Every structure is written in structure tokens, then in C-alpha cells.
Amino acid sequence: MDRVRLDVHDRVGELVLSRPEKLNAIDREMLHQIERALRIAEGDRAVRVLIVRGEGRGFCAGADLGAVDDKVADSGLLAEFMAYWHQVFGRLAASPLPSIAAVHGVAYAGGFELMQACDLAVVADDASLADQHAVYGLIPGGGGTQRLPRLTGERRAKWLMFSGLPVEPRDALAAGLVNAVRPAAEVLAHARAMAAVLARRSPVATARMKEAIRLGLAAPDLGAGLEIERRLTVEHMRAADPRIGLAAFAERAEPDFIGE
């Protein structure tokens, strides 16, 4: 894979966007390689957490517009491309692996949407975060119209999308869009420290929680969401990890989860 790299250390996979000469702009081949890296990471029992980061000067500048130009005039080609984009970002969002975006430099448009598709985000205090589509007469097509309001609330999301203006990292933190803001030199280390905490937890429990949250947010009301939680809790207790955790609690020891 020449556009994406997957590095694995200490139960943490790092999905690295490796197209620095294009500010990691996303084309179809990069989407394919992201999906392939996700498939490899999900199939590797040694990987329990995923960090998504960009190589070079920035996280991701969004779609490679040069690669999209030939599809704009053909609605069929464009629909197929956008469907694939949604498939890949949706797979990341729904993956059983918890994901952390480690953002430096720019996260624009599709890169901003990639950050939203991750479960957690750490951004540099000098990072530039912006939807930007409106600046060029476009609309978010990588999930932004749906994920951003769920993260920040409707009014904040509308301003960010309608204006296309950047959001300051500290304002993004206050809005619930990101989890932490750090100096640029500390972003990756902080993301790795967060990943180390998650890697010690049960991957089965984390995957169940992700599923419960995802399905609950799509439920028609709180009651339906609570029913989803009840069902998944009962199913989860059939796994080995909860028994390992309860035994460790009784022995006042730290559990060593096996991921089953």
C-alpha cells in the first residue's frame, strides 16, 4: 500500500495516511487502502485500538479534487464514488476497534469528516479544522451533515457547515468535537497514551459499547435505546471477558482480558 500504512505496536494499530505531497488528500485508491488497513487491523487479535494520523505537514486536506473532477459530470460515477466513501468511513465508525484521530496541521472537508468518523480525537493547538465545502459551493458528502450535528449540536454544526470557516481547537474542545487539545509536538504521544489505556480494556466490551451507542443514537426514542442496551448487556455477559473482569475484581487484581 503506497498511500496508507498500518503500524502495530503494543496492541495499538496506527493507520497512517501516507500521501504527504498531497497533504494526504483522499482519492479512490486511498479509500481502498484505508478499507484494506481496517480489514487487516480488525483481523489481527494483537490490535485492540486504532490511531488514525497523517504523515507530513497535516492530517488530511480532504478529497483529492483532481481525482474527483472526472466524476462530477457523470452522476452515476459520482454516486458510486460517494457510496464507496460512505462505505469506508462507515466501516471505520462502526468498527469494533475504538479509533483515535491524532490531528495536526489541517483537517479540511473530507479530512474533517474523517476526524468525525473516529471515536475520539486529539488535535494540535495550532491545527486548522474546517468543513470548507460551503466556501466552494459544495456540501459535505463524507458523513459531515449527519455526524457533525450529533457531535456538536445542530446550531454549532450548521454554522460550521454553512460558513465553511475554521473552528479554533479550544472551541472544538468546548463543543465536544474533540477530546483533547495539545501542543503539536505532543499530539501523537497523547493519542498513544489514550490508546494504551483502551488497550488494557476488554475489546469485547468496547465493541459492545460502540454498538450500543451507534444503535441507540439511531433509535426512535430513549426507551428503544434502553432496550438495545438491555439486550446487548445480556448478550455480552455470555462472553469470557466479563467473567475475567469479575474474578479480578473479587481478587483485587487487574484483569488480563483475552478478547473473547
Side-chain angles (χ1 to χ4, degrees), residues 43-128:
D44 187 345
R45 290 178 61 84
V47 178
R48 294 192 174 182
V49 189
L50 197 64
I51 292 174
V52 180
R53 64 182 179 88
E55 202 166 56
R57 296 181 293 114
F59 178 68
C60 176
D64 183 342
L65 296 182
V68 175
D69 267 352
D70 63 338
K71 300 175 178 63
V72 171
D74 187 321
S75 58
L77 283 177
L78 184 61
E80 191 276 335
F81 177 71
M82 295 314 304
Y84 188 50
W85 189 300
H86 273 228
Q87 174 184 316
V88 175
F89 278 28
R91 177 164 188 161
L92 173 62
S95 173
L97 296 173
S99 55
I100 305 170
V103 179
H104 73 291
V106 301
Y108 289 158
F112 192 51
E113 291 172 302
L114 176 60
M115 183 187 79
Q116 295 165 41
C118 293
D119 296 302
L120 307 167
V122 183
V123 304
D125 57 8
D126 60 353
S128 186

Side-chain angles (χ1 to χ4, degrees), residues 102-258:
V103 179
H104 73 291
V106 301
Y108 289 158
F112 192 51
E113 291 172 302
L114 176 60
M115 183 187 79
Q116 295 165 41
C118 293
D119 296 302
L120 307 167
V122 183
V123 304
D125 57 8
D126 60 353
S128 186
L129 314 174
D131 182 79
Q132 278 210 328
H133 288 94
V135 176
Y136 303 102
L138 306 172
I139 70 170
T145 63
Q146 304 305 306
R147 292 193 178 98
L148 191 58
R150 286 167 167 80
L151 289 167
T152 68
E154 182 181 344
R155 291 191 184 278
R156 285 192 183 98
K158 283 179 174 177
W159 171 251
L160 292 174
M161 285 187 282
F162 294 176
S163 71
L165 296 176
V167 55
E168 290 294 327
R170 294 290 175 188
D171 291 338
L173 178 63
L177 179 56
V178 306
N179 298 88
V181 176
R182 292 290 181 272
E186 299 174 13
V187 166
L188 184 55
H190 190 83
R192 286 171 173 167
M194 291 172 67
V197 172
L198 300 186
R200 294 196 299 271
R201 306 298 183 241
S202 162
V204 179
T206 303
R208 285 291 192 192
M209 284 187 274
K210 281 194 64 169
E211 184 181 9
I213 293 167
R214 178 171 54 84
L215 295 177
L217 286 173
D221 53 41
L222 177 60
L226 291 172
E227 176 57 25
I228 291 168
E229 179 184 271
R230 183 203 62 77
R231 174 176 59 81
L232 292 179
T233 299
V234 172
E235 291 177 8
H236 177 65
M237 294 308 292
R238 299 177 189 141
D241 277 358
R243 294 193 292 274
I244 291 171
L246 291 172
F249 176 79
E251 297 170 5
R252 302 294 189 267
E254 182 171 352
D256 184 13
F257 297 112
I258 61 174

